[in-house]
Amino acid sequence: MNEDGHWLTLLGRLDLHAFPFVRAWEDPTVSELIGAFAGALVVVGAVGLVALLTWKRWWRPLFRDWLTSLDHKKIGIMYVVLAGVMLSRALVEAVLMRAQQSLAVDAPGIVAPEHFAQLFSTHGTIMIFFMAMPFLTGLINYVVPLQIGARDVAFPLLNSISLMLTGGGAGLVMLSLAVGEFSTGGWSGYPPYTGKAFQPGVGPDYWIWAVTLASLGTTLSGINIAATIYKKRCPGLHLTRMPLFCWTALCTAILMIFATPPLTVATALLALDRYLDFHFFTNDLGGNMMNYVNLFWLFGHPEVYILILPAFGVFSEVISAFSSKELYGYKSLATATMAIGVLSFTVWLHHFFTMGQSASVNAAFGIATMTISIPTGVKIYNWIWTMFRGEVRFTAPMLFALAFIVTFVLGGLTGIMLAIPPIDYVVHNTVFLVAHFHNMLIPGLLYGMIAGYMYWFPKAFGFRLSEGWGKVAFACWVSGFYLAFMPLYVLGLGGMARRSQALFEPDYRPWLIVAACGAVLLLSGLVSLFMQLFVSVRDRDANRVPVGDPWDARGLEWSVAAPPPEYNFATIPRVDRLDPFYWRKERGEAYRRPARYADIVMPKNSWVGLLVGFAAAACAFGLVWHIGWLSLLGFLGIWIPVVARSFVRDVHRTIPAAEVEATERLWLERAHAARPVPRERETEPDNLGLARPFPAQVTA
């Protein structure tokens, strides 16, 4: 075998031109230099992280306390950290795209067409699969077991595997910056654009395997969340006594279970087309690309509600807490949540109104799309009535909730417009559509996730976030959104096509410059969140809330210390009504010592999830570059830890009752020594997490 043959065997299609630094050296255009700079950031960031962990001697605690942990709280935090990292990249790409479009009116701009296509593909893929999904899954992971009085999720090891599969997919997307290139087929990966004939390179393969790993992790998470809510609720916590966030988490989990498999099937069939010359989605030999479109949107539209429903749950918790009132219309909100979940499976075809269906089919799906606005309107109505005559406090989470209500209604109205097939024909494939779905997902998802992050942060880490920086972030996110996307409605009605790398209509330029400024403001909002975190960590001693209830909140998660112990509850609580902790505070029954303590059994740490995630990413990387030996080793590496784990019997550890009692006694002593703080001083240093209960106001 010659030298080339050995190289092909060892490294497949990988060669020096796969590295952006080499391409930039050979062709030093602005576009290539930007790509090389991005790749260098990934490399330098990875090397810097390794150096920091080594210098601080954090490797051991990183693996022992985090990466191998099966604690649902730590897994939830790691999901949110992953979302923050990926959000940073996706927002920078958004700014670069807006800068390109504002500069490329009768001019070439700064990035080449192929590079621009990669930017919008990675931006969409990251925002949906590796920012939004990890963020919401992380919040659900952290909060739901605490809200239902459980000590952990139903399947702790599966929880770790889900996280690591998602992390492996995110790693592939990041690696594509430094090795190879990403797909140019958009976040939806439509054939024929992602077929081998159109894109013979590795870009679509990166997309296929990154999304496949993420979809598998999401499906497993859905099973875990649903089983946890169905089977791990504490005594007395009937479904009709669950917090609204639990209802939205349950509905989200059901959607994950049934909506994500069609995506996994679609990516698997697309891989067979590319790797083995099957013809599922080609124009010849029996293929039909519309099969892909149907499979993708069978996932894609329920996915919209997978993203938005948890945010609805966050807003329900935040609005109730910061209005000092019981949530108005609890049962109607729960019913509306499940109605949205059911209806989300009936509207997928409105994503391709222009692809040749009959007028009758389009009309049926248009009506179904309009129908889904009814339960959403019920929620808006109930949130407004919850605030009515309440003691509304304009904290940063509450401001995000209020901005959501106003902005989401505007986006919903444009959704009703797009549900009318003739209007959809007119604005199809224009930036009007881009404005609409960002109008739904930024206020409907991101504002909710940020509000939830700020709201539950004191519970997770034991100290409050800086309120001042939180309001700065709010101002940047809201003003940035309006500046970035309202001009796109005008441009879309003016005929500007989406995904345009260069433009030839000079009247577009002023609107594009405004949109670019908005994108910079959105990036400033993210920077403000990082500044808020930095300042809060620096000043944490002045903002500690060890008692655990800084907001005078209502659910069980606020009835334990901040941060909660590993076992969550020293004794499993019993519930006899909605908002149990709030009513215990009203009756003076909170912070009571139980009659006795018992040993608590918790799962031991495990390397299985970490090994499975790493092996899955290695297998996928081998498949991307056709490195057979790496793919085989990675595939075996997925299953060997799982099989080996089945022979392990010592998978639990016992926390002695004496240790539990000592921990709880220290916390209860702090709670009894703390001075209750009224609502108007909840953001001041003397708030140790013991809120003075506001007189009960029952609204419905």
Side-chain angles (χ1 to χ4, degrees), residues 21 70 73 79 126 174 195 211 213 238 253 263 273 322 361 368 445 523 528 534 551 573 579 630 640 643 662 680 696:
F21 323 107
L70 302 189
K73 298 182 290 298
Y79 265 118
I126 288 171
M174 296 301 286
V211 170
L213 293 183
H238 307 154
L263 173 65
D273 272 11
F322 292 113
V361 171
L445 163 82
L523 185 60
S528 299
F534 171 78
W551 312 129
D579 297 337
L630 182 59
I640 289 173
V643 173
E680 61 269 16

Side-chain angles (χ1 to χ4, degrees), residues 107-184:
I110 54 177
V111 296
E114 286 289 309
H115 191 173
F116 187 83
Q118 290 179 48
L119 286 173
F120 69 68
S121 299
T122 50
H123 173 79
T125 300
I126 288 171
M127 282 298 204
I128 298 297
F129 297 108
F130 300 109
M131 187 285 292
M133 294 300 293
F135 211 151
L136 69 90
T137 307
L139 282 185
I140 291 172
N141 250 295
Y142 194 96
V143 174
V144 164
L146 287 165
Q147 286 194 330
I148 64 174
R151 291 205 167 106
D152 211 322
V153 295
F155 308 113
L157 179 60
L158 189 66
N159 206 18
S160 175
I161 292 172
S162 301
L163 167 66
M164 296 305 170
L165 286 174
T166 304
L172 283 178
V173 177
M174 296 301 286
L175 194 58
S176 69
L177 274 176
V179 186
E181 55 189 17
F182 202 72
S183 174
T184 59

Side-chain angles (χ1 to χ4, degrees), residues 503-652:
L503 302 154
F504 303 98
E505 175 54 66
D507 290 343
Y508 291 165
R509 187 189 294 275
W511 299 100
L512 290 170
I513 292 173
V514 172
C517 293
V520 172
L521 266 178
L522 289 173
L523 185 60
S524 301
L526 180 64
V527 173
S528 299
L529 288 178
F530 287 137
M531 282 299 302
Q532 179 194 38
L533 181 61
F534 171 78
V535 169
S536 302
V537 172
R538 185 194 64 193
D539 301 336
R540 60 190 179 277
D541 289 335
N543 295 299
R544 292 200 182 276
V545 289
V547 180
D549 177 32
W551 312 129
D552 187 24
R554 314 178 79 86
L556 288 175
E557 75 269 31
W558 303 102
S559 68
V560 296
E566 178 189 358
Y567 47 79
N568 292 347
F569 300 92
T571 57
I572 297 298
R574 289 184 172 271
V575 171
D576 58 3
R577 60 166 301 134
L578 184 66
D579 297 337
F581 178 55
Y582 186 82
W583 291 98
R584 286 181 196 167
K585 290 188 292 184
E586 284 288 299
R587 298 197 297 265
E589 297 176 0
Y591 310 112
R592 285 188 175 180
R593 182 180 175 184
R596 60 181 294 273
Y597 294 95
D599 294 347
I600 296 176
V601 177
M602 298 298 294
K604 282 186 174 180
N605 286 14
S606 173
W607 285 77
V608 171
L610 183 61
L611 294 174
V612 167
F614 182 80
C619 178
F621 184 78
L623 288 168
V624 167
W625 290 101
H626 295 247
I627 306 173
W629 62 269
L630 182 59
S631 301
L632 179 60
L633 285 179
F635 183 77
L636 293 175
I638 295 170
W639 295 105
I640 289 173
V642 174
V643 173
R645 169 75 177 194
S646 68
F647 291 95
V648 177
R649 292 294 175 262
D650 183 20
V651 296
H652 295 96

